[in-house]
Amino acid sequence: MPNNRKYISTEYGLINLRDGDWVIHLDPEALAELYWEVQDEKLVRVVRCKDCKYYFEQPRGFSPICELTRSRTEKEGFCSWGKKKDE
């Protein structure tokens, strides 16, 4: 099997593409910047609707709803009010 590896240079490092999969290799400065953004809480975790305590799956093919906003939602959706089911 031939090695179908491609590298794309970006301002943050190299992207390694191989057989449809890709891995980002970041340079140390970019990693340090990401680390401090997480520490300073500039980045936040996203709670997907399907993992949220307000998510309600309706029966028989109806769209799921958010019990907090009483609106239709998607499994992979998210909002700023999401809370994990186990919290």
Side-chain angles (χ1 to χ4, degrees), residues 21-79:
D21 296 331
W22 57 287
V23 177
I24 298 175
H25 299 277
L26 298 174
D27 66 20
E29 281 184 34
L31 286 173
E33 187 176 326
L34 270 173
Y35 173 81
W36 288 113
E37 285 186 6
V38 169
Q39 295 301 313
D40 295 340
E41 296 181 1
K42 292 180 183 174
L43 301 176
V44 296
R45 288 184 187 260
V46 170
V47 177
R48 297 281 177 200
C49 290
K50 65 182 178 184
D51 301 324
C52 181
K53 68 181 183 179
Y54 303 117
Y55 178 80
F56 178 71
E57 187 78 44
Q58 300 238 57
R60 298 196 178 239
F62 290 100
S63 296
I65 61 168
C66 173
E67 292 183 330
L68 180 67
T69 62
R70 297 287 183 203
S71 61
R72 185 180 145 289
T73 188
E74 301 290 330
K75 285 184 178 184
E76 296 301 322
F78 60 93
C79 73

